[in-house]
């Protein structure tokens, strides 16, 4: 089973990908996480990506396609992948189709987690993650059970992304509507697109996504 999660920045893709990963043994492939790792490592790719990410724009297709191409060859993807934040342009979607075909894999569904723009500033500015294990939280919607302590690993070290600010959110939403929204008709035309209401609470969105996955039989 290979899934693409589509939706705006802050729409809940990463939160849900982690939950599906646990339930179905699929592997979350987040190009955002991979790019942040490249930035942290100080590599050439990381240096090129950092300014673009901080400005809320999209990193070049060439860079992200190369990252995914390499990742798809690793042996842990036997049960399948959940693409989170990739593809983000039609060129990336076409490249993914070609890569999957070449590697003998099939894309089962592209699922749109639909969240109107009006929700997004609050989602993004309240986001933080555990600095040790990467578990995701929100100031209002997903607080740790014990304040200041990660539910998953007990760490008290939390991080916020430098691009999760009000100014950059607007740019990222513009990029989503201009460059990523065309993927909805792209997948719909081949009958692969499913829609889930991303304004429900986190557990309800998970249930709706599981219903889609389970429908594949
Ligand atoms: P994305 O990966 O699409 O950018 P995230 O999964 O990181 O989005 O979610 C953005 C923020 O919103 C996080 O802080 C997360 O805890 C919170 N969040 C995710 N899904 C929901 C939801 N259904 N309702 C309320 N808050 C949510
Ligand atoms: P969010 O889901 O909150 O938008 P991501 O972690 O998916 O955040 O992405 C963060 C940033 O990384 C994006 O704003 C963009 O600059 C870059 N990025 C991530 N994935 C891609 C991609 N597939 N194509 C181009 N840029 C990407
Ligand atoms: Zn943790």
């Amino acid at each position: 089973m290979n899934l693409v999660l589509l939706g705006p920045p802050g729409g809940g893709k990463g939160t849900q990908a982690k939950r599906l990963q646990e339930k179905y043994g699929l592997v979350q492939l987040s190009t955002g996480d991979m790019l942040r790792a490249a930035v942290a490592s100080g590599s050439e790719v990381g240096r090129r990506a950092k300014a673009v990410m901080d400005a809320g724009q999209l990193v070049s297709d060439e860079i992200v396609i190369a990252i995914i191409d390499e990742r798809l060859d690793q042996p842990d993807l036997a049960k399948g992948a959940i693409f989170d934040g990739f593809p983000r342009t039609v060129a990336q979607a076409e490249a993914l189709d070609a890569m999957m075909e070449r590697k003998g894999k099939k894309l089962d569904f592209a699922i749109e987690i639909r969240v109107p723009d009006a929700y997004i500033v609050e989602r993004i500015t309240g986001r933080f993650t555990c600095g040790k294990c990467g578990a995701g939280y929100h100031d209002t919607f997903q607080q740790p059970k014990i304040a200041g302590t990660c539910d998953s690993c007990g760490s008290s070290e939390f991080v916020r992304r430098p691009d999760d600010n009000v100014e950059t959110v607007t740019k990222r939403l513009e990029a989503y509507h201009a460059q990523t929204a065309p993927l909805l008709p792209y997948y719909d035309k081949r009958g692969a697109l499913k829609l889930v209401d991303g304004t429900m609470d986190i557990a309800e969105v998970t249930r709706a996504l599981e219903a889609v996955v389970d429908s594949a039989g």
Side-chain angles (χ1 to χ4, degrees), residues 12-29:
K13 301 181 298 297
T15 301
Q16 298 298 335
K18 287 195 170 63
R19 291 173 154 230
L20 294 174
Q21 164 165 276
E22 262 168 47
K23 169 146 182 173
Y24 295 100
L26 306 172
V27 176
Q28 175 192 15
L29 297 187

Side-chain angles (χ1 to χ4, degrees), residues 35 39 45-61 63 163 168 171-172 175 179:
L35 289 166
V39 170
V45 162
R47 279 197 296 276
R48 282 165 65 190
K50 184 175 184 344
V52 179
M53 292 170 76
D54 286 345
Q57 291 165 349
L58 294 186
V59 173
S60 75
D61 290 334
I63 287 180
D163 58 337
T168 309
K171 296 271 164 29
R172 286 157 62 193
Q179 292 169 275

Side-chain angles (χ1 to χ4, degrees), residues 9-217:
K13 301 181 298 297
T15 301
Q16 298 298 335
K18 287 195 170 63
R19 291 173 154 230
L20 294 174
Q21 164 165 276
E22 262 168 47
K23 169 146 182 173
Y24 295 100
L26 306 172
V27 176
Q28 175 192 15
L29 297 187
S30 159
T31 43
D33 286 348
M34 294 175 198
L35 289 166
R36 280 183 289 278
V39 170
S41 78
S43 69
E44 169 65 23
V45 162
R47 279 197 296 276
R48 282 165 65 190
K50 184 175 184 344
V52 179
M53 292 170 76
D54 286 345
Q57 291 165 349
L58 294 186
V59 173
S60 75
D61 290 334
E62 183 203 348
I63 287 180
V64 290
I65 290 166
I67 290 177
I68 285 286
D69 195 3
E70 203 182 308
R71 183 66 183 83
L72 285 180
D73 289 332
Q74 289 167 22
D76 59 330
L77 302 178
K79 286 196 176 159
I82 305 166
F83 295 94
D84 160 15
F86 177 90
R88 256 180 159 94
T89 64
V90 170
Q92 291 178 22
E94 288 168 352
L96 178 61
D97 285 340
M99 283 186 273
M100 296 292 275
E101 177 155 3
R102 186 154 29 88
K103 298 175 203 285
K105 298 175 193 277
K106 173 174 166 278
L107 200 64
D108 296 273
F109 297 117
I111 310 176
E112 179 194 3
I113 302 179
R114 188 177 292 172
V115 181
D117 287 8
Y119 289 72
I120 294 302
V121 169
E122 188 179 19
R123 288 276 188 99
I124 294 237
T125 55
R127 170 161 59 188
F128 61 98
T129 53
C130 173
K132 200 171 162 205
C133 75
Y137 295 99
H138 191 280
D139 290 329
T140 308
F141 305 125
Q142 202 185 3
Q143 299 168 334
K145 290 192 181 77
I146 303 165
T149 305
C150 175
D151 297 346
S152 306
C153 77
S155 170
S156 54
E157 192 197 307
F158 294 97
V159 292
R160 288 179 193 261
R161 284 168 41 183
D163 58 337
D164 277 351
N165 57 68
V166 185
E167 300 75 49
T168 309
V169 172
T170 312
K171 296 271 164 29
R172 286 157 62 193
L173 278 172
E174 279 169 19
Y176 179 72
H177 291 296
Q179 292 169 275
T180 308
L183 297 182
L184 302 171
Y186 180 91
Y187 287 117
D188 195 25
K189 268 183 208 138
R190 71 169 79 158
L193 185 69
K194 304 282 174 184
L195 171 65
V196 163
D197 176 3
T199 68
M200 302 184 293
D201 72 33
I202 292 175
E204 287 175 308
V205 176
T206 305
R207 276 195 291 279
L209 288 166
E210 287 172 357
V212 172
V213 173
D214 294 340
S215 75

